[in-house]
Coordinates of all heavy atoms in Angstrom, one line a residue:
V1 N 51.2 -120.0 50.8 CA 50.6 -119.8 49.5 C 49.1 -120.2 49.4 O 48.8 -121.3 49.9 CB 51.3 -120.6 48.4 CG1 50.8 -120.2 47.0 CG2 52.8 -120.4 48.5
L2 N 48.3 -119.3 48.9 CA 46.9 -119.7 48.7 C 46.5 -119.7 47.3 O 46.7 -118.8 46.5 CB 46.0 -118.6 49.4 CG 44.5 -118.8 49.3 CD1 44.0 -120.0 50.0 CD2 43.7 -117.5 49.8
F3 N 46.0 -120.9 46.8 CA 45.6 -121.1 45.5 C 44.1 -120.9 45.3 O 43.3 -121.4 46.2 CB 46.0 -122.5 45.0 CG 47.4 -122.7 44.7 CD1 48.3 -123.2 45.7 CD2 48.0 -122.3 43.4 CE1 49.6 -123.4 45.4 CE2 49.3 -122.5 43.2 CZ 50.1 -123.0 44.2
S4 N 43.7 -120.3 44.3 CA 42.2 -120.2 43.9 C 42.0 -121.0 42.7 O 42.7 -120.8 41.6 CB 41.8 -118.7 43.7 OG 40.5 -118.6 43.2
V5 N 41.1 -122.0 42.8 CA 40.9 -123.0 41.7 C 39.5 -123.0 41.2 O 38.6 -123.0 42.0 CB 41.3 -124.4 42.2 CG1 41.1 -125.4 41.0 CG2 42.7 -124.5 42.8
R6 N 39.4 -122.9 39.9 CA 38.1 -123.1 39.2 C 38.2 -124.2 38.2 O 39.0 -124.1 37.3 CB 37.6 -121.8 38.6 CG 36.2 -121.8 38.0 CD 35.7 -120.5 37.5 NE 34.4 -120.5 36.9 CZ 33.3 -120.4 37.7 NH1 33.3 -120.3 39.0 NH2 32.1 -120.5 37.1
E7 N 37.3 -125.2 38.3 CA 37.3 -126.3 37.4 C 36.0 -126.2 36.6 O 34.9 -126.1 37.2 CB 37.4 -127.6 38.1 CG 38.7 -127.8 38.9 CD 38.8 -129.2 39.5 OE1 37.9 -130.0 39.3 OE2 39.7 -129.4 40.3
T8 N 36.1 -126.3 35.3 CA 34.9 -126.3 34.4 C 34.9 -127.5 33.5 O 35.9 -127.7 32.7 CB 34.8 -125.0 33.6 OG1 34.9 -123.9 34.4 CG2 33.5 -125.0 32.7
K9 N 33.8 -128.4 33.6 CA 33.7 -129.5 32.7 C 33.4 -129.0 31.3 O 32.5 -128.2 31.0 CB 32.6 -130.5 33.2 CG 32.9 -131.0 34.5 CD 34.1 -131.9 34.5 CE 34.3 -132.6 35.9 NZ 35.5 -133.4 35.9
T10 N 34.2 -129.5 30.3 CA 34.0 -129.0 28.9 C 32.8 -129.6 28.2 O 32.3 -128.9 27.3 CB 35.3 -129.4 28.1 OG1 35.5 -130.8 28.2 CG2 36.5 -128.7 28.6
E11 N 32.3 -130.7 28.7 CA 31.1 -131.3 28.0 C 29.8 -130.6 28.4 O 28.8 -130.5 27.6 CB 31.0 -132.8 28.2 CG 30.8 -133.3 29.6 CD 32.1 -133.5 30.4 OE1 33.1 -132.9 30.0 OE2 32.0 -134.2 31.4
N12 N 29.7 -130.2 29.7 CA 28.4 -129.6 30.1 C 28.6 -128.2 30.8 O 27.6 -127.6 31.3 CB 27.7 -130.5 31.1 CG 28.6 -130.9 32.3 OD1 29.5 -130.2 32.6 ND2 28.2 -132.0 32.9
Y13 N 29.8 -127.7 30.9 CA 30.2 -126.4 31.5 C 29.8 -126.3 33.0 O 29.7 -125.2 33.5 CB 29.5 -125.3 30.7 CG 30.0 -125.3 29.2 CD1 29.1 -125.8 28.2 CD2 31.2 -124.8 28.9 CE1 29.6 -125.8 26.9 CE2 31.6 -124.7 27.6 CZ 30.8 -125.2 26.6 OH 31.2 -125.2 25.3
E14 N 29.6 -127.4 33.6 CA 29.5 -127.4 35.1 C 30.8 -127.0 35.7 O 31.9 -127.4 35.3 CB 29.0 -128.7 35.6 CG 27.6 -129.1 35.3 CD 27.2 -130.4 35.9 OE1 28.0 -131.0 36.6 OE2 26.0 -130.8 35.8
S15 N 30.7 -126.1 36.7 CA 32.0 -125.6 37.3 C 31.9 -125.6 38.8 O 30.8 -125.6 39.4 CB 32.3 -124.2 36.8 OG 31.3 -123.3 37.2
K16 N 33.0 -125.7 39.4 CA 33.1 -125.5 40.9 C 34.4 -124.8 41.2 O 35.4 -124.8 40.4 CB 33.2 -126.9 41.5 CG 34.4 -127.8 41.2 CD 34.4 -129.1 42.0 CE 35.6 -129.9 41.7 NZ 35.6 -131.2 42.5
S17 N 34.3 -124.0 42.3 CA 35.5 -123.2 42.7 C 35.8 -123.6 44.2 O 35.0 -123.9 45.0 CB 35.1 -121.7 42.7 OG 34.9 -121.3 41.3
Y18 N 37.1 -123.6 44.4 CA 37.6 -123.9 45.8 C 39.0 -123.3 46.0 O 39.6 -122.8 45.0 CB 37.5 -125.4 46.0 CG 38.4 -126.2 45.1 CD1 39.7 -126.6 45.4 CD2 37.8 -126.7 43.9 CE1 40.4 -127.4 44.6 CE2 38.6 -127.5 43.0 CZ 39.9 -127.8 43.4 OH 40.6 -128.6 42.5
Y19 N 39.5 -123.5 47.2 CA 40.8 -123.0 47.6 C 41.7 -124.1 48.1 O 41.2 -125.1 48.7 CB 40.7 -121.9 48.6 CG 39.9 -120.7 48.2 CD1 38.5 -120.6 48.4 CD2 40.5 -119.6 47.5 CE1 37.8 -119.5 48.0 CE2 39.8 -118.5 47.1 CZ 38.4 -118.5 47.3 OH 37.7 -117.4 46.9
K20 N 42.9 -123.9 47.9 CA 43.9 -124.8 48.5 C 45.1 -124.0 49.0 O 45.6 -123.1 48.2 CB 44.4 -125.9 47.4 CG 45.5 -126.8 47.9 CD 45.0 -127.7 49.0 CE 46.1 -128.7 49.4 NZ 45.7 -129.6 50.5
A21 N 45.5 -124.3 50.2 CA 46.6 -123.5 50.8 C 47.8 -124.5 51.2 O 47.6 -125.6 51.6 CB 46.2 -122.7 52.0
F22 N 49.0 -123.9 51.1 CA 50.2 -124.6 51.6 C 51.0 -123.7 52.4 O 51.2 -122.5 52.1 CB 51.0 -125.1 50.4 CG 50.4 -126.1 49.5 CD1 49.7 -125.8 48.4 CD2 50.5 -127.5 49.8 CE1 49.1 -126.7 47.6 CE2 50.0 -128.4 49.0 CZ 49.2 -128.1 47.9
S23 N 51.5 -124.2 53.5 CA 52.4 -123.4 54.4 C 53.6 -124.2 54.6 O 53.6 -125.4 54.8 CB 51.7 -123.0 55.7 OG 50.6 -122.1 55.5
F24 N 54.8 -123.5 54.7 CA 56.0 -124.2 54.8 C 56.9 -123.5 55.9 O 56.9 -122.3 56.0 CB 56.8 -124.2 53.5 CG 56.1 -124.9 52.4 CD1 55.3 -124.1 51.5 CD2 56.1 -126.2 52.2 CE1 54.6 -124.7 50.5 CE2 55.4 -126.8 51.1 CZ 54.6 -126.0 50.3
D25 N 57.7 -124.3 56.6 CA 58.7 -123.8 57.5 C 59.9 -123.3 56.6 O 60.5 -124.1 55.9 CB 59.2 -125.0 58.4 CG 60.2 -124.5 59.5 OD1 60.9 -123.5 59.3 OD2 60.2 -125.2 60.5
A26 N 60.2 -122.1 56.7 CA 61.2 -121.5 55.9 C 62.6 -121.9 56.2 O 63.5 -121.8 55.4 CB 61.1 -119.9 56.0
T27 N 62.8 -122.5 57.4 CA 64.1 -122.9 57.8 C 64.5 -124.3 57.3 O 65.7 -124.6 57.2 CB 64.2 -123.0 59.4 OG1 63.4 -124.0 59.9 CG2 63.8 -121.6 59.9
N28 N 63.5 -125.1 56.9 CA 63.8 -126.5 56.4 C 63.0 -126.9 55.2 O 63.2 -128.0 54.7 CB 63.7 -127.5 57.6 CG 62.4 -127.5 58.2 OD1 61.3 -127.2 57.6 ND2 62.3 -127.9 59.5
G29 N 62.0 -126.1 54.8 CA 61.2 -126.5 53.7 C 60.1 -127.5 54.0 O 59.4 -127.9 53.1
K30 N 59.9 -127.8 55.2 CA 58.9 -128.8 55.6 C 57.5 -128.2 55.5 O 57.3 -127.1 55.9 CB 59.1 -129.3 57.0 CG 58.0 -130.2 57.6 CD 58.2 -130.5 59.0 CE 57.1 -131.4 59.6 NZ 57.3 -131.6 61.1
E31 N 56.5 -129.0 54.9 CA 55.2 -128.5 54.9 C 54.6 -128.5 56.3 O 54.7 -129.5 57.0 CB 54.3 -129.4 53.9 CG 52.9 -128.9 53.8 CD 52.0 -129.7 52.9 OE1 52.6 -130.7 52.3 OE2 50.8 -129.4 52.7
L32 N 53.9 -127.5 56.6 CA 53.3 -127.3 57.9 C 51.8 -127.7 57.9 O 51.0 -127.2 57.1 CB 53.4 -125.9 58.4 CG 54.8 -125.4 58.7 CD1 54.8 -123.9 58.9 CD2 55.5 -126.1 59.8
K33 N 51.4 -128.6 58.8 CA 50.0 -128.8 59.1 C 49.6 -128.0 60.3 O 50.4 -127.4 61.0 CB 49.8 -130.3 59.4 CG 50.3 -131.3 58.3 CD 49.6 -131.0 57.0 CE 50.1 -132.0 56.0 NZ 49.5 -131.8 54.6
L34 N 48.3 -127.9 60.5 CA 47.8 -127.0 61.5 C 48.3 -127.4 62.9 O 48.7 -126.5 63.7 CB 46.2 -127.0 61.5 CG 45.6 -126.0 62.5 CD1 45.8 -124.6 62.0 CD2 44.1 -126.2 62.5
K35 N 48.4 -128.7 63.1 CA 48.9 -129.2 64.4 C 50.3 -128.8 64.7 O 50.8 -128.7 65.9 CB 48.8 -130.7 64.5 CG 49.6 -131.4 63.6 CD 49.5 -132.9 63.7 CE 50.4 -133.7 62.8 NZ 50.3 -135.2 63.0
D36 N 51.1 -128.5 63.6 CA 52.5 -128.1 63.8 C 52.7 -126.7 64.4 O 53.7 -126.4 64.9 CB 53.2 -128.2 62.4 CG 53.3 -129.6 61.8 OD1 53.4 -130.6 62.6 OD2 53.2 -129.7 60.6
L37 N 51.6 -125.9 64.3 CA 51.7 -124.6 64.7 C 51.3 -124.4 66.2 O 51.7 -123.4 66.8 CB 50.7 -123.7 63.9 CG 50.7 -123.8 62.4 CD1 49.6 -122.8 61.8 CD2 52.0 -123.5 61.9
F38 N 50.7 -125.5 66.8 CA 50.2 -125.4 68.1 C 50.9 -126.3 69.1 O 51.5 -127.3 68.7 CB 48.7 -125.7 68.1 CG 47.8 -124.7 67.5 CD1 47.6 -124.7 66.1 CD2 47.3 -123.6 68.2 CE1 46.8 -123.7 65.5 CE2 46.5 -122.7 67.6 CZ 46.2 -122.7 66.3
L39 N 50.7 -126.0 70.4 CA 51.1 -126.8 71.5 C 50.1 -128.0 71.6 O 49.0 -127.9 71.1 CB 51.2 -126.1 72.8 CG 52.2 -124.9 72.9 CD1 51.9 -124.1 74.1 CD2 53.6 -125.5 72.9
P40 N 50.5 -129.1 72.1 CA 49.6 -130.3 72.3 C 48.4 -129.9 73.1 O 48.5 -129.1 74.0 CB 50.5 -131.3 73.0 CG 51.9 -130.9 72.7 CD 51.9 -129.4 72.6
G41 N 47.2 -130.4 72.7 CA 46.0 -130.2 73.4 C 45.3 -128.9 73.1 O 44.5 -128.4 73.8
Y42 N 45.7 -128.3 71.9 CA 45.1 -127.0 71.5 C 43.7 -127.0 71.0 O 43.0 -126.0 71.0 CB 46.0 -126.4 70.4 CG 45.8 -127.0 69.1 CD1 44.9 -126.5 68.1 CD2 46.5 -128.2 68.7 CE1 44.7 -127.1 66.9 CE2 46.3 -128.8 67.5 CZ 45.4 -128.3 66.6 OH 45.2 -128.9 65.4
E43 N 43.2 -128.2 70.6 CA 42.0 -128.3 69.8 C 40.8 -127.7 70.5 O 40.1 -126.9 69.8 CB 41.7 -129.8 69.5 CG 42.6 -130.4 68.6 CD 43.9 -131.1 69.3 OE1 44.0 -130.8 70.5 OE2 44.6 -131.8 68.6
D44 N 40.5 -128.0 71.7 CA 39.3 -127.5 72.4 C 39.3 -125.9 72.5 O 38.3 -125.3 72.2 CB 39.1 -128.1 73.8 CG 38.7 -129.5 73.7 OD1 38.2 -130.0 72.6 OD2 38.8 -130.3 74.7
S45 N 40.5 -125.4 72.9 CA 40.6 -124.0 73.1 C 40.5 -123.2 71.7 O 39.8 -122.2 71.6 CB 41.9 -123.6 73.8 OG 42.0 -124.1 75.1
F46 N 41.1 -123.8 70.7 CA 41.0 -123.1 69.4 C 39.6 -123.2 68.8 O 39.2 -122.3 68.2 CB 42.1 -123.7 68.5 CG 42.3 -122.9 67.2 CD1 42.3 -121.6 67.2 CD2 42.4 -123.6 66.0 CE1 42.5 -120.8 66.0 CE2 42.5 -122.9 64.8 CZ 42.6 -121.5 64.8
K47 N 39.0 -124.4 69.0 CA 37.6 -124.5 68.5 C 36.7 -123.5 69.2 O 35.8 -122.9 68.5 CB 37.1 -125.9 68.8 CG 35.7 -126.2 68.3 CD 35.3 -127.6 68.5 CE 33.9 -127.9 68.0 NZ 33.4 -129.3 68.3

């Protein structure tokens, strides 16, 4: 799931926009972090 968020301060109308994403293992409901998707030692190659 990808969320699109926009926050606006009511006193001065300053706003900011950003995104937040969540991914889950459908077999057990566990939240997935990036490292959960990869084999150990993936960082350099993926970078």
Side-chain angles (χ1 to χ4, degrees):
V1 186
L2 177 66
F3 286 94
S4 176
V5 181
R6 184 176 182 84
E7 300 181 4
T8 304
K9 297 296 183 182
T10 55
E11 65 270 19
N12 57 18
Y13 299 101
E14 289 184 356
S15 65
K16 64 177 180 178
S17 298
Y18 59 93
Y19 298 93
K20 176 67 177 177
F22 294 93
S23 294
F24 303 93
D25 186 333
T27 67
N28 57 26
K30 176 186 174 183
E31 183 179 358
L32 295 170
K33 303 302 183 182
L34 190 65
K35 65 179 182 178
D36 297 323
L37 310 182
F38 289 90
L39 296 169
Y42 74 93
E43 290 89 350
D44 289 343
S45 295
F46 190 44
K47 182 177 179 179

